[in-house]
Amino acid sequence: MKLILLSGGSGTRLWPLSNDSRSKQFLKILKDEHGNDESMVQRVWRQIRNMSLDSSTFITTSKSQVEMIQSQLNDCPPLIIEPERKDTFPAIALSASYLLSQTNESPDEVVVVLPVDLYVEDDFFRQIFQLEKIMDEEELNIALLGVKPLVPTEKYGYILPKVNSKNVSSLQEVDCFIEKPPVERAKELIDQSALWNCGIFAFKLKYLVGIMEDRGLPVQFDEMLEKYNNLRKISFDFEVLEKEEVLHVLPYEGKWKDLGTWDSLVEEMDSKQLGKGIVSDCQQVNLINELDIPVVVLGLSDVVVVASPDGILVSDVAITPQLKNSIKNLNNRPMYEERRWGWFRILDYNINNEDGDEVLTKKICIKKGQNLSYQMHTKRTEIWNIISGIGELVIDNCLSSLKTGDSVKISPGQKHSVFAKSDLEIIEIQKGPELIEEDVIRFCSFWDEIKGEVVNSMRL
């Protein structure tokens, strides 16, 4: 059995903490068994390792999330990287082509697809093993996993079986899917043994390869990468599941939750307050503050308050599922991003009135033992002011030391990198006609490679 974890989306329902570069699955607002901060993706990966499934697991993701995944996961599983963001069917088809041609999996292999941000207990993965077993025994090409509902809710979709059954351990044939019904309709569906659709399904590899061939899609990974940009954006549900004449679902009776909205997430947080602030004379108030200034909350009930460099949210907890629609017209650039080497926060942005150049000020933290890639920019000058820490600096193959109080100017076209001997904090001022993250040419990523280039240039 192979597991494909799908990591995508921006998680706008958890604004202002989540954005295009820091999706909800990377937010460290949960706790592990030792009380340490933990993100959703770290929790799922820990559970997968506990069940000895890590060697069978792959993560399919977009290029923008690669560094976050590598930063958060020890012994990161193989990554299947989308050339650009598409919907779930193209992403899963790309994964199937990878398994078929890059790892030479058997066409009879069972592949289980899961969202990377699911919130379950360890026994959930035992049901995954059961799903694989049933697919082999019943010779099924595709099957779903559904969750027995705890309460009627309009937050989730439902899977309605053909036969009203109270046996939660038996395989059931699917009648139809119902997408997020009103609460009254959800009550009726639960009385008919409907299950929550948790977005988890399994298929035989040869089954999906057959569908890809029918659609005229390449099944070799390299060719799939080349043609990926031309693929239509469509979900796996619409392209495959809803067109399948015979579908089966295996019920799961246990804890499962989608932590995609603030009302569901705060229920699983161990602390009512994260970050600087005072909460006084309040009932059922959660405060999450990523800013360096305190937030004071007085005399409120059933409210969530979230402050980050991207914005401030104050909302009645019950209506937070509507947040996505409320912020749909916000198009601000992300003000905080985490990377493989650390993080940066945008402090200021403006346009110079004298020459029309853009000016961007960042605070950057490079973690001890990490480094920036050896890179250069074509459109901007950078000035680094070192506010704490020590490190090593390379500019155009010249190596020098770096310490608190130093100032460095990097001109367009200069290759540069820095290695942090301790946590290194830098105030970076960018200036140029166009300041975009895409203005970068990378030559190598790891410090040993970079120092090797310096040594080779000295020999020459």
Side-chain angles (χ1 to χ4, degrees), residues 247-460:
L247 266 178
H248 291 85
V249 60
L250 178 66
Y252 168 67
E253 188 172 19
K255 186 172 184 179
W256 170 85
K257 202 174 231 186
D258 177 3
L259 300 187
T261 55
W262 281 113
D263 61 328
S264 59
L265 183 57
V266 295
E267 291 178 357
E268 303 302 332
M269 291 175 57
D270 287 345
S271 174
K272 292 289 185 182
Q273 180 175 330
L274 297 174
K276 290 184 179 180
I278 298 171
V279 178
S280 180
D281 294 328
C282 294
Q283 291 183 339
Q284 299 301 315
V285 168
N286 286 84
L287 169 63
I288 301 99
N289 182 17
E290 288 192 325
L291 303 178
D292 291 329
I293 56 175
V295 173
V296 179
V297 186
L298 301 177
L300 298 180
S301 299
D302 302 312
V303 165
V304 60
V305 180
V306 188
S308 87
D310 283 329
I312 295 173
L313 169 70
V314 181
S315 174
D316 185 307
V317 173
I319 66 169
T320 52
Q322 303 174 25
L323 177 60
K324 184 176 182 178
N325 292 329
S326 299
I327 63 169
K328 61 185 178 182
N329 294 323
L330 291 180
N331 295 310
N332 297 348
R333 65 185 297 166
M335 302 296 282
Y336 176 86
E337 296 189 27
E338 291 183 24
R339 297 292 176 87
R340 166 185 56 83
W341 41 261
W343 55 264
F344 71 80
R345 178 176 295 165
I346 295 176
L347 303 177
D348 185 60
Y349 169 79
N350 61 71
I351 297 177
N352 190 308
N353 291 328
E354 295 179 1
D355 54 19
D357 276 356
E358 299 178 27
V359 180
L360 183 72
T361 305
K362 288 182 179 179
K363 182 178 181 180
I364 299 172
C365 178
I366 306 172
K367 297 176 183 177
K368 180 180 178 180
Q370 299 295 324
N371 65 277
L372 302 183
S373 61
Y374 200 24
Q375 58 186 252
M376 77 174 186
H377 312 291
T378 61
K379 298 180 180 180
R380 68 178 183 248
T381 298
E382 293 180 346
I383 297 175
W384 291 353
N385 295 297
I386 313 304
I387 57 176
S388 70
I390 56 174
E392 291 183 296
L393 172 72
V394 173
I395 295 183
D396 285 340
N397 293 337
C398 294
L399 182 67
S400 61
S401 61
L402 205 59
K403 65 182 186 304
T404 302
D406 286 350
S407 183
V408 179
K409 182 178 180 180
I410 302 164
S411 300
Q414 284 192 308
K415 295 161 65 176
H416 60 281
S417 178
V418 61
F419 174 81
K421 290 185 172 180
S422 66
D423 284 357
L424 195 61
E425 292 193 343
I426 302 171
I427 298 296
E428 176 186 87
I429 301 173
Q430 300 179 4
K431 187 174 185 295
E434 185 180 25
L435 302 181
I436 54 175
E437 289 297 320
E438 291 75 18
D439 178 24
V440 59
I441 301 172
R442 292 186 172 89
F443 300 95
C444 45
S445 298
F446 300 103
W447 191 244
D448 288 344
E449 296 177 279
I450 297 168
K451 291 191 76 171
E453 280 210 13
V454 173
V455 171
N456 290 337
S457 68
M458 292 174 65
R459 288 173 180 167
L460 295 173

Side-chain angles (χ1 to χ4, degrees), residues 1-7 45 48 53-61 76-80 95 98-99 102-103 105 111-112 114 116:
M1 178 174 65
K2 299 293 182 249
L3 300 187
I4 297 293
L5 299 179
L6 296 182
S7 179
W45 182 235
I48 285 173
L53 285 165
D54 47 313
S55 62
S56 302
T57 299
F58 302 80
I59 296 181
T60 299
T61 188
C76 182
L79 301 181
I80 303 169
S95 307
Y98 181 93
L99 294 178
Q102 300 298 108
T103 65
E105 300 298 338
V111 180
V112 183
L114 310 95
V116 78

Side-chain angles (χ1 to χ4, degrees), residues 106-120:
S106 165
D108 291 317
E109 186 72 87
V110 173
V111 180
V112 183
V113 179
L114 310 95
V116 78
D117 54 357
L118 77 166
Y119 189 85
V120 294

Side-chain angles (χ1 to χ4, degrees), residues 147-170:
V147 176
K148 185 178 180 182
L150 299 177
V151 293
T153 176
E154 58 188 14
K155 292 198 298 184
Y156 307 139
Y158 289 76
I159 303 169
L160 185 65
K162 284 191 173 180
V163 178
N164 190 331
S165 172
K166 301 303 179 184
N167 187 347
V168 297
S169 62
S170 63

Side-chain angles (χ1 to χ4, degrees), residues 63-78:
K63 289 186 288 187
S64 63
Q65 294 187 1
V66 169
E67 288 197 358
M68 285 287 289
I69 293 171
Q70 292 173 335
S71 172
Q72 291 203 357
L73 299 187
N74 296 324
D75 302 322
C76 182

Side-chain angles (χ1 to χ4, degrees), residues 78-97:
L79 301 181
I80 303 169
I81 303 170
E82 290 184 280
E84 68 175 65
R85 273 186 183 173
K86 297 280 186 176
D87 212 326
T88 51
F89 175 72
I92 294 167
L94 181 69
S95 307
S97 71

